[in-house]
Amino acid sequence: MQINEYIDHTLLKPTATPDHIITLCDEAKQYEFVAVCVNGCYVTLAKEQLLNSEIKIASVIGFPLGAMATNAKVFEASQSVLDGADEIDMVINLGLLKAKAFKTLEHEILEIKKEIGDRVLKVIFETCYLTDTEIKIACKLSINAGADYIKTSTGFGSGGATFDTVKLMKAEVKDQLKIKASGGIKNTTTAKKYIDLGVSRIGTSSGIQIVLNPQ
């Protein structure tokens, strides 16, 4: 696979306008990225722009804090699918994880997966706020709940993906789940190292730079 086939071309800034999303989709078509990742309000627009292409649309849920009510997250996921999302990137409830409310957290992931059916579910951990033990637990909960991917970061936390964190996640899930690395990945060398570590997706707003300026 070429590196562009790993990239979720991402624009989640709160100031993103419809014109920015149209540009994002045009870039995704030009560079043949695997997906675009957008906020829920822009799923319909992205769907229109990517009509007759194979590029997937990922919508973020509970973004970026993960602290919304479960019913709100489920509804948000349902609406995104209705609007045309192929994939859902949901943020877990970090407070519940730290409070060891593991059954509640697993139930939330399960309910969202149930709502979206055979569409891809990526579970965002926001690993910069978690201990290694908490990351391992989040991996197990994601497996139990039927997720498809685990994902390192929103890109809005105090830190993004790290090689050590991805190694830890990979050791825990092995081949049971795929991994998406995101947050701070801005060059080809870094992206390729994550791929070598076993990630299946790279979430980045620097996809063009990664493809055009190998270093």
PDB file of all heavy atoms in Angstrom, residues 162-199:
ATOM      1  N   THR A 162       2.135   8.708  20.349  1.00  0.00           N
ATOM      2  CA  THR A 162       3.560   8.447  20.580  1.00  0.00           C
ATOM      3  C   THR A 162       3.856   7.011  20.146  1.00  0.00           C
ATOM      4  O   THR A 162       2.957   6.156  20.147  1.00  0.00           O
ATOM      5  CB  THR A 162       3.966   8.612  22.052  1.00  0.00           C
ATOM      6  OG1 THR A 162       3.382   7.558  22.828  1.00  0.00           O
ATOM      7  CG2 THR A 162       3.538   9.976  22.605  1.00  0.00           C
ATOM      8  N   PHE A 163       5.092   6.756  19.810  1.00  0.00           N
ATOM      9  CA  PHE A 163       5.466   5.410  19.391  1.00  0.00           C
ATOM     10  C   PHE A 163       5.260   4.411  20.529  1.00  0.00           C
ATOM     11  O   PHE A 163       4.757   3.305  20.318  1.00  0.00           O
ATOM     12  CB  PHE A 163       6.926   5.377  18.929  1.00  0.00           C
ATOM     13  CG  PHE A 163       7.205   6.260  17.739  1.00  0.00           C
ATOM     14  CD1 PHE A 163       8.303   7.113  17.731  1.00  0.00           C
ATOM     15  CD2 PHE A 163       6.374   6.246  16.630  1.00  0.00           C
ATOM     16  CE1 PHE A 163       8.562   7.930  16.635  1.00  0.00           C
ATOM     17  CE2 PHE A 163       6.625   7.051  15.528  1.00  0.00           C
ATOM     18  CZ  PHE A 163       7.730   7.890  15.533  1.00  0.00           C
ATOM     19  N   ASP A 164       5.641   4.797  21.749  1.00  0.00           N
ATOM     20  CA  ASP A 164       5.505   3.886  22.884  1.00  0.00           C
ATOM     21  C   ASP A 164       4.047   3.527  23.150  1.00  0.00           C
ATOM     22  O   ASP A 164       3.732   2.377  23.471  1.00  0.00           O
ATOM     23  CB  ASP A 164       6.127   4.502  24.143  1.00  0.00           C
ATOM     24  CG  ASP A 164       7.650   4.491  24.111  1.00  0.00           C
ATOM     25  OD1 ASP A 164       8.215   3.737  23.292  1.00  0.00           O
ATOM     26  OD2 ASP A 164       8.270   5.243  24.882  1.00  0.00           O
ATOM     27  N   THR A 165       3.154   4.512  23.012  1.00  0.00           N
ATOM     28  CA  THR A 165       1.741   4.240  23.239  1.00  0.00           C
ATOM     29  C   THR A 165       1.194   3.276  22.198  1.00  0.00           C
ATOM     30  O   THR A 165       0.436   2.350  22.522  1.00  0.00           O
ATOM     31  CB  THR A 165       0.929   5.548  23.215  1.00  0.00           C
ATOM     32  OG1 THR A 165       1.375   6.392  24.279  1.00  0.00           O
ATOM     33  CG2 THR A 165      -0.546   5.281  23.381  1.00  0.00           C
ATOM     34  N   VAL A 166       1.573   3.480  20.945  1.00  0.00           N
ATOM     35  CA  VAL A 166       1.094   2.582  19.888  1.00  0.00           C
ATOM     36  C   VAL A 166       1.639   1.168  20.099  1.00  0.00           C
ATOM     37  O   VAL A 166       0.912   0.180  19.902  1.00  0.00           O
ATOM     38  CB  VAL A 166       1.467   3.127  18.499  1.00  0.00           C
ATOM     39  CG1 VAL A 166       1.256   2.071  17.413  1.00  0.00           C
ATOM     40  CG2 VAL A 166       0.640   4.369  18.187  1.00  0.00           C
ATOM     41  N   LYS A 167       2.888   1.059  20.524  1.00  0.00           N
ATOM     42  CA  LYS A 167       3.450  -0.270  20.833  1.00  0.00           C
ATOM     43  C   LYS A 167       2.634  -0.951  21.923  1.00  0.00           C
ATOM     44  O   LYS A 167       2.339  -2.154  21.854  1.00  0.00           O
ATOM     45  CB  LYS A 167       4.908  -0.135  21.275  1.00  0.00           C
ATOM     46  CG  LYS A 167       5.879   0.222  20.169  1.00  0.00           C
ATOM     47  CD  LYS A 167       7.277   0.414  20.751  1.00  0.00           C
ATOM     48  CE  LYS A 167       8.258   0.925  19.699  1.00  0.00           C
ATOM     49  NZ  LYS A 167       9.596   1.219  20.286  1.00  0.00           N
ATOM     50  N   LEU A 168       2.276  -0.184  22.963  1.00  0.00           N
ATOM     51  CA  LEU A 168       1.485  -0.711  24.071  1.00  0.00           C
ATOM     52  C   LEU A 168       0.113  -1.176  23.587  1.00  0.00           C
ATOM     53  O   LEU A 168      -0.354  -2.279  23.935  1.00  0.00           O
ATOM     54  CB  LEU A 168       1.323   0.372  25.141  1.00  0.00           C
ATOM     55  CG  LEU A 168       0.457   0.033  26.355  1.00  0.00           C
ATOM     56  CD1 LEU A 168       1.125  -1.030  27.211  1.00  0.00           C
ATOM     57  CD2 LEU A 168       0.211   1.289  27.189  1.00  0.00           C
ATOM     58  N   MET A 169      -0.536  -0.348  22.779  1.00  0.00           N
ATOM     59  CA  MET A 169      -1.865  -0.692  22.259  1.00  0.00           C
ATOM     60  C   MET A 169      -1.797  -1.931  21.368  1.00  0.00           C
ATOM     61  O   MET A 169      -2.647  -2.817  21.456  1.00  0.00           O
ATOM     62  CB  MET A 169      -2.442   0.505  21.494  1.00  0.00           C
ATOM     63  CG  MET A 169      -2.764   1.693  22.389  1.00  0.00           C
ATOM     64  SD  MET A 169      -3.009   3.262  21.488  1.00  0.00           S
ATOM     65  CE  MET A 169      -4.609   2.999  20.717  1.00  0.00           C
ATOM     66  N   LYS A 170      -0.792  -2.001  20.529  1.00  0.00           N
ATOM     67  CA  LYS A 170      -0.642  -3.133  19.616  1.00  0.00           C
ATOM     68  C   LYS A 170      -0.395  -4.424  20.388  1.00  0.00           C
ATOM     69  O   LYS A 170      -0.970  -5.474  20.059  1.00  0.00           O
ATOM     70  CB  LYS A 170       0.514  -2.870  18.642  1.00  0.00           C
ATOM     71  CG  LYS A 170       0.706  -3.963  17.589  1.00  0.00           C
ATOM     72  CD  LYS A 170      -0.483  -4.067  16.654  1.00  0.00           C
ATOM     73  CE  LYS A 170      -0.246  -5.099  15.563  1.00  0.00           C
ATOM     74  NZ  LYS A 170      -1.419  -5.271  14.685  1.00  0.00           N
ATOM     75  N   ALA A 171       0.426  -4.352  21.427  1.00  0.00           N
ATOM     76  CA  ALA A 171       0.711  -5.538  22.237  1.00  0.00           C
ATOM     77  C   ALA A 171      -0.549  -6.032  22.932  1.00  0.00           C
ATOM     78  O   ALA A 171      -0.730  -7.246  23.128  1.00  0.00           O
ATOM     79  CB  ALA A 171       1.793  -5.218  23.267  1.00  0.00           C
ATOM     80  N   GLU A 172      -1.424  -5.103  23.286  1.00  0.00           N
ATOM     81  CA  GLU A 172      -2.637  -5.469  24.013  1.00  0.00           C
ATOM     82  C   GLU A 172      -3.701  -6.064  23.091  1.00  0.00           C
ATOM     83  O   GLU A 172      -4.349  -7.057  23.436  1.00  0.00           O
ATOM     84  CB  GLU A 172      -3.204  -4.238  24.728  1.00  0.00           C
ATOM     85  CG  GLU A 172      -4.240  -4.541  25.777  1.00  0.00           C
ATOM     86  CD  GLU A 172      -3.696  -5.342  26.946  1.00  0.00           C
ATOM     87  OE1 GLU A 172      -2.496  -5.221  27.277  1.00  0.00           O
ATOM     88  OE2 GLU A 172      -4.489  -6.103  27.536  1.00  0.00           O
ATOM     89  N   VAL A 173      -3.909  -5.455  21.916  1.00  0.00           N
ATOM     90  CA  VAL A 173      -4.997  -5.932  21.042  1.00  0.00           C
ATOM     91  C   VAL A 173      -4.519  -6.930  20.000  1.00  0.00           C
ATOM     92  O   VAL A 173      -5.342  -7.624  19.403  1.00  0.00           O
ATOM     93  CB  VAL A 173      -5.711  -4.761  20.333  1.00  0.00           C
ATOM     94  CG1 VAL A 173      -6.247  -3.776  21.348  1.00  0.00           C
ATOM     95  CG2 VAL A 173      -4.801  -4.055  19.315  1.00  0.00           C
ATOM     96  N   LYS A 174      -3.227  -6.978  19.774  1.00  0.00           N
ATOM     97  CA  LYS A 174      -2.655  -7.846  18.744  1.00  0.00           C
ATOM     98  C   LYS A 174      -3.390  -7.613  17.419  1.00  0.00           C
ATOM     99  O   LYS A 174      -3.410  -6.508  16.931  1.00  0.00           O
ATOM    100  CB  LYS A 174      -2.674  -9.294  19.203  1.00  0.00           C
ATOM    101  CG  LYS A 174      -1.840  -9.516  20.469  1.00  0.00           C
ATOM    102  CD  LYS A 174      -1.848 -10.931  20.912  1.00  0.00           C
ATOM    103  CE  LYS A 174      -0.885 -11.134  22.087  1.00  0.00           C
ATOM    104  NZ  LYS A 174      -1.217 -10.293  23.276  1.00  0.00           N
ATOM    105  N   ASP A 175      -4.035  -8.638  16.869  1.00  0.00           N
ATOM    106  CA  ASP A 175      -4.747  -8.459  15.601  1.00  0.00           C
ATOM    107  C   ASP A 175      -6.264  -8.421  15.783  1.00  0.00           C
ATOM    108  O   ASP A 175      -7.022  -8.525  14.810  1.00  0.00           O
ATOM    109  CB  ASP A 175      -4.377  -9.584  14.622  1.00  0.00           C
ATOM    110  CG  ASP A 175      -2.918  -9.510  14.186  1.00  0.00           C
ATOM    111  OD1 ASP A 175      -2.407  -8.386  14.044  1.00  0.00           O
ATOM    112  OD2 ASP A 175      -2.302 -10.575  14.005  1.00  0.00           O
ATOM    113  N   GLN A 176      -6.696  -8.267  17.041  1.00  0.00           N
ATOM    114  CA  GLN A 176      -8.144  -8.257  17.300  1.00  0.00           C
ATOM    115  C   GLN A 176      -8.803  -6.945  16.869  1.00  0.00           C
ATOM    116  O   GLN A 176      -9.968  -6.927  16.494  1.00  0.00           O
ATOM    117  CB  GLN A 176      -8.409  -8.496  18.785  1.00  0.00           C
ATOM    118  CG  GLN A 176      -7.958  -9.873  19.261  1.00  0.00           C
ATOM    119  CD  GLN A 176      -8.189 -10.042  20.742  1.00  0.00           C
ATOM    120  OE1 GLN A 176      -9.277 -10.408  21.181  1.00  0.00           O
ATOM    121  NE2 GLN A 176      -7.162  -9.779  21.520  1.00  0.00           N
ATOM    122  N   LEU A 177      -8.064  -5.846  16.952  1.00  0.00           N
ATOM    123  CA  LEU A 177      -8.548  -4.546  16.518  1.00  0.00           C
ATOM    124  C   LEU A 177      -7.474  -3.863  15.696  1.00  0.00           C
ATOM    125  O   LEU A 177      -6.275  -4.115  15.876  1.00  0.00           O
ATOM    126  CB  LEU A 177      -8.885  -3.645  17.718  1.00  0.00           C
ATOM    127  CG  LEU A 177      -9.988  -4.086  18.667  1.00  0.00           C
ATOM    128  CD1 LEU A 177     -10.121  -3.086  19.797  1.00  0.00           C
ATOM    129  CD2 LEU A 177     -11.308  -4.235  17.939  1.00  0.00           C
ATOM    130  N   LYS A 178      -7.889  -2.972  14.815  1.00  0.00           N
ATOM    131  CA  LYS A 178      -6.943  -2.129  14.097  1.00  0.00           C
ATOM    132  C   LYS A 178      -6.652  -0.882  14.924  1.00  0.00           C
ATOM    133  O   LYS A 178      -7.385  -0.562  15.861  1.00  0.00           O
ATOM    134  CB  LYS A 178      -7.508  -1.761  12.723  1.00  0.00           C
ATOM    135  CG  LYS A 178      -7.679  -2.962  11.803  1.00  0.00           C
ATOM    136  CD  LYS A 178      -8.267  -2.559  10.468  1.00  0.00           C
ATOM    137  CE  LYS A 178      -8.424  -3.778   9.567  1.00  0.00           C
ATOM    138  NZ  LYS A 178      -9.007  -3.413   8.253  1.00  0.00           N
ATOM    139  N   ILE A 179      -5.586  -0.191  14.569  1.00  0.00           N
ATOM    140  CA  ILE A 179      -5.161   0.989  15.325  1.00  0.00           C
ATOM    141  C   ILE A 179      -5.060   2.191  14.401  1.00  0.00           C
ATOM    142  O   ILE A 179      -4.527   2.088  13.290  1.00  0.00           O
ATOM    143  CB  ILE A 179      -3.801   0.749  16.014  1.00  0.00           C
ATOM    144  CG1 ILE A 179      -3.905  -0.400  17.019  1.00  0.00           C
ATOM    145  CG2 ILE A 179      -3.309   2.020  16.715  1.00  0.00           C
ATOM    146  CD1 ILE A 179      -2.572  -0.809  17.630  1.00  0.00           C
ATOM    147  N   LYS A 180      -5.580   3.318  14.877  1.00  0.00           N
ATOM    148  CA  LYS A 180      -5.410   4.600  14.191  1.00  0.00           C
ATOM    149  C   LYS A 180      -4.569   5.502  15.071  1.00  0.00           C
ATOM    150  O   LYS A 180      -4.904   5.748  16.234  1.00  0.00           O
ATOM    151  CB  LYS A 180      -6.765   5.244  13.909  1.00  0.00           C
ATOM    152  CG  LYS A 180      -6.657   6.627  13.237  1.00  0.00           C
ATOM    153  CD  LYS A 180      -8.033   7.167  12.889  1.00  0.00           C
ATOM    154  CE  LYS A 180      -7.973   8.612  12.381  1.00  0.00           C
ATOM    155  NZ  LYS A 180      -9.302   9.136  11.994  1.00  0.00           N
ATOM    156  N   ALA A 181      -3.460   5.983  14.526  1.00  0.00           N
ATOM    157  CA  ALA A 181      -2.603   6.935  15.232  1.00  0.00           C
ATOM    158  C   ALA A 181      -2.944   8.334  14.757  1.00  0.00           C
ATOM    159  O   ALA A 181      -3.057   8.581  13.561  1.00  0.00           O
ATOM    160  CB  ALA A 181      -1.133   6.633  14.962  1.00  0.00           C
ATOM    161  N   SER A 182      -3.128   9.243  15.692  1.00  0.00           N
ATOM    162  CA  SER A 182      -3.467  10.617  15.320  1.00  0.00           C
ATOM    163  C   SER A 182      -2.916  11.582  16.360  1.00  0.00           C
ATOM    164  O   SER A 182      -2.642  11.207  17.497  1.00  0.00           O
ATOM    165  CB  SER A 182      -4.984  10.789  15.206  1.00  0.00           C
ATOM    166  OG  SER A 182      -5.600  10.543  16.449  1.00  0.00           O
ATOM    167  N   GLY A 183      -2.745  12.820  15.919  1.00  0.00           N
ATOM    168  CA  GLY A 183      -2.238  13.861  16.809  1.00  0.00           C
ATOM    169  C   GLY A 183      -0.749  14.074  16.643  1.00  0.00           C
ATOM    170  O   GLY A 183       0.049  13.264  17.109  1.00  0.00           O
ATOM    171  N   GLY A 184      -0.380  15.141  15.928  1.00  0.00           N
ATOM    172  CA  GLY A 184       1.023  15.529  15.816  1.00  0.00           C
ATOM    173  C   GLY A 184       1.820  14.814  14.747  1.00  0.00           C
ATOM    174  O   GLY A 184       3.043  14.934  14.707  1.00  0.00           O
ATOM    175  N   ILE A 185       1.164  14.081  13.856  1.00  0.00           N
ATOM    176  CA  ILE A 185       1.879  13.352  12.802  1.00  0.00           C
ATOM    177  C   ILE A 185       1.930  14.248  11.577  1.00  0.00           C
ATOM    178  O   ILE A 185       0.927  14.476  10.908  1.00  0.00           O
ATOM    179  CB  ILE A 185       1.176  12.018  12.490  1.00  0.00           C
ATOM    180  CG1 ILE A 185       1.070  11.185  13.758  1.00  0.00           C
ATOM    181  CG2 ILE A 185       1.940  11.261  11.399  1.00  0.00           C
ATOM    182  CD1 ILE A 185       0.206   9.950  13.623  1.00  0.00           C
ATOM    183  N   LYS A 186       3.121  14.764  11.276  1.00  0.00           N
ATOM    184  CA  LYS A 186       3.239  15.828  10.279  1.00  0.00           C
ATOM    185  C   LYS A 186       4.243  15.549   9.167  1.00  0.00           C
ATOM    186  O   LYS A 186       4.396  16.362   8.266  1.00  0.00           O
ATOM    187  CB  LYS A 186       3.616  17.143  10.980  1.00  0.00           C
ATOM    188  CG  LYS A 186       2.579  17.621  11.984  1.00  0.00           C
ATOM    189  CD  LYS A 186       2.983  18.940  12.619  1.00  0.00           C
ATOM    190  CE  LYS A 186       1.977  19.411  13.652  1.00  0.00           C
ATOM    191  NZ  LYS A 186       0.629  19.630  13.090  1.00  0.00           N
ATOM    192  N   ASN A 187       4.969  14.426   9.238  1.00  0.00           N
ATOM    193  CA  ASN A 187       5.939  14.156   8.180  1.00  0.00           C
ATOM    194  C   ASN A 187       5.958  12.676   7.827  1.00  0.00           C
ATOM    195  O   ASN A 187       5.436  11.832   8.563  1.00  0.00           O
ATOM    196  CB  ASN A 187       7.339  14.651   8.566  1.00  0.00           C
ATOM    197  CG  ASN A 187       7.871  13.970   9.811  1.00  0.00           C
ATOM    198  OD1 ASN A 187       8.111  12.770   9.815  1.00  0.00           O
ATOM    199  ND2 ASN A 187       8.032  14.738  10.888  1.00  0.00           N
ATOM    200  N   THR A 188       6.571  12.383   6.690  1.00  0.00           N
ATOM    201  CA  THR A 188       6.558  11.024   6.160  1.00  0.00           C
ATOM    202  C   THR A 188       7.294  10.041   7.047  1.00  0.00           C
ATOM    203  O   THR A 188       6.833   8.918   7.254  1.00  0.00           O
ATOM    204  CB  THR A 188       7.203  11.008   4.756  1.00  0.00           C
ATOM    205  OG1 THR A 188       6.632  12.058   3.975  1.00  0.00           O
ATOM    206  CG2 THR A 188       6.971   9.687   4.062  1.00  0.00           C
ATOM    207  N   THR A 189       8.441  10.460   7.575  1.00  0.00           N
ATOM    208  CA  THR A 189       9.239   9.567   8.411  1.00  0.00           C
ATOM    209  C   THR A 189       8.437   9.085   9.612  1.00  0.00           C
ATOM    210  O   THR A 189       8.406   7.886   9.935  1.00  0.00           O
ATOM    211  CB  THR A 189      10.510  10.273   8.890  1.00  0.00           C
ATOM    212  OG1 THR A 189      11.277  10.680   7.756  1.00  0.00           O
ATOM    213  CG2 THR A 189      11.359   9.353   9.749  1.00  0.00           C
ATOM    214  N   THR A 190       7.757  10.013  10.261  1.00  0.00           N
ATOM    215  CA  THR A 190       6.947   9.661  11.425  1.00  0.00           C
ATOM    216  C   THR A 190       5.791   8.760  11.030  1.00  0.00           C
ATOM    217  O   THR A 190       5.514   7.746  11.682  1.00  0.00           O
ATOM    218  CB  THR A 190       6.417  10.931  12.110  1.00  0.00           C
ATOM    219  OG1 THR A 190       7.510  11.777  12.452  1.00  0.00           O
ATOM    220  CG2 THR A 190       5.630  10.594  13.365  1.00  0.00           C
ATOM    221  N   ALA A 191       5.097   9.116   9.963  1.00  0.00           N
ATOM    222  CA  ALA A 191       3.956   8.317   9.508  1.00  0.00           C
ATOM    223  C   ALA A 191       4.384   6.887   9.180  1.00  0.00           C
ATOM    224  O   ALA A 191       3.709   5.916   9.559  1.00  0.00           O
ATOM    225  CB  ALA A 191       3.313   8.974   8.299  1.00  0.00           C
ATOM    226  N   LYS A 192       5.498   6.735   8.477  1.00  0.00           N
ATOM    227  CA  LYS A 192       5.972   5.405   8.100  1.00  0.00           C
ATOM    228  C   LYS A 192       6.350   4.573   9.312  1.00  0.00           C
ATOM    229  O   LYS A 192       6.127   3.359   9.344  1.00  0.00           O
ATOM    230  CB  LYS A 192       7.155   5.518   7.138  1.00  0.00           C
ATOM    231  CG  LYS A 192       6.749   5.899   5.722  1.00  0.00           C
ATOM    232  CD  LYS A 192       7.940   5.906   4.782  1.00  0.00           C
ATOM    233  CE  LYS A 192       7.500   6.151   3.341  1.00  0.00           C
ATOM    234  NZ  LYS A 192       8.649   6.230   2.410  1.00  0.00           N
ATOM    235  N   LYS A 193       6.899   5.230  10.338  1.00  0.00           N
ATOM    236  CA  LYS A 193       7.254   4.482  11.549  1.00  0.00           C
ATOM    237  C   LYS A 193       6.003   3.944  12.233  1.00  0.00           C
ATOM    238  O   LYS A 193       5.989   2.801  12.712  1.00  0.00           O
ATOM    239  CB  LYS A 193       8.062   5.343  12.505  1.00  0.00           C
ATOM    240  CG  LYS A 193       8.537   4.565  13.740  1.00  0.00           C
ATOM    241  CD  LYS A 193       9.648   5.247  14.484  1.00  0.00           C
ATOM    242  CE  LYS A 193      10.113   4.378  15.657  1.00  0.00           C
ATOM    243  NZ  LYS A 193      11.208   5.021  16.429  1.00  0.00           N
ATOM    244  N   TYR A 194       4.949   4.741  12.255  1.00  0.00           N
ATOM    245  CA  TYR A 194       3.696   4.246  12.839  1.00  0.00           C
ATOM    246  C   TYR A 194       3.145   3.070  12.030  1.00  0.00           C
ATOM    247  O   TYR A 194       2.655   2.094  12.600  1.00  0.00           O
ATOM    248  CB  TYR A 194       2.655   5.368  12.921  1.00  0.00           C
ATOM    249  CG  TYR A 194       2.848   6.269  14.108  1.00  0.00           C
ATOM    250  CD1 TYR A 194       3.182   7.609  13.952  1.00  0.00           C
ATOM    251  CD2 TYR A 194       2.707   5.785  15.406  1.00  0.00           C
ATOM    252  CE1 TYR A 194       3.374   8.437  15.047  1.00  0.00           C
ATOM    253  CE2 TYR A 194       2.895   6.606  16.514  1.00  0.00           C
ATOM    254  CZ  TYR A 194       3.222   7.939  16.322  1.00  0.00           C
ATOM    255  OH  TYR A 194       3.416   8.736  17.412  1.00  0.00           O
ATOM    256  N   ILE A 195       3.241   3.164  10.735  1.00  0.00           N
ATOM    257  CA  ILE A 195       2.775   2.062   9.883  1.00  0.00           C
ATOM    258  C   ILE A 195       3.596   0.806  10.157  1.00  0.00           C
ATOM    259  O   ILE A 195       3.060  -0.302  10.265  1.00  0.00           O
ATOM    260  CB  ILE A 195       2.836   2.468   8.401  1.00  0.00           C
ATOM    261  CG1 ILE A 195       1.805   3.570   8.118  1.00  0.00           C
ATOM    262  CG2 ILE A 195       2.590   1.259   7.496  1.00  0.00           C
ATOM    263  CD1 ILE A 195       1.972   4.249   6.777  1.00  0.00           C
ATOM    264  N   ASP A 196       4.902   0.970  10.299  1.00  0.00           N
ATOM    265  CA  ASP A 196       5.773  -0.165  10.617  1.00  0.00           C
ATOM    266  C   ASP A 196       5.422  -0.787  11.967  1.00  0.00           C
ATOM    267  O   ASP A 196       5.624  -1.991  12.184  1.00  0.00           O
ATOM    268  CB  ASP A 196       7.241   0.269  10.619  1.00  0.00           C
ATOM    269  CG  ASP A 196       7.771   0.577   9.222  1.00  0.00           C
ATOM    270  OD1 ASP A 196       7.138   0.145   8.238  1.00  0.00           O
ATOM    271  OD2 ASP A 196       8.811   1.263   9.117  1.00  0.00           O
ATOM    272  N   LEU A 197       4.900   0.045  12.885  1.00  0.00           N
ATOM    273  CA  LEU A 197       4.498  -0.460  14.206  1.00  0.00           C
ATOM    274  C   LEU A 197       3.155  -1.179  14.166  1.00  0.00           C
ATOM    275  O   LEU A 197       2.742  -1.785  15.149  1.00  0.00           O
ATOM    276  CB  LEU A 197       4.430   0.692  15.216  1.00  0.00           C
ATOM    277  CG  LEU A 197       5.765   1.303  15.647  1.00  0.00           C
ATOM    278  CD1 LEU A 197       5.534   2.515  16.539  1.00  0.00           C
ATOM    279  CD2 LEU A 197       6.627   0.268  16.374  1.00  0.00           C
ATOM    280  N   GLY A 198       2.461  -1.075  13.032  1.00  0.00           N
ATOM    281  CA  GLY A 198       1.243  -1.848  12.867  1.00  0.00           C
ATOM    282  C   GLY A 198      -0.045  -1.055  12.772  1.00  0.00           C
ATOM    283  O   GLY A 198      -1.128  -1.652  12.797  1.00  0.00           O
ATOM    284  N   VAL A 199       0.028   0.279  12.662  1.00  0.00           N
ATOM    285  CA  VAL A 199      -1.226   1.031  12.549  1.00  0.00           C
ATOM    286  C   VAL A 199      -1.797   0.882  11.137  1.00  0.00           C
ATOM    287  O   VAL A 199      -1.063   0.710  10.166  1.00  0.00           O
ATOM    288  CB  VAL A 199      -1.058   2.533  12.894  1.00  0.00           C
ATOM    289  CG1 VAL A 199      -0.379   2.716  14.247  1.00  0.00           C
ATOM    290  CG2 VAL A 199      -0.311   3.284  11.809  1.00  0.00           C
TER     291      VAL A 199
END
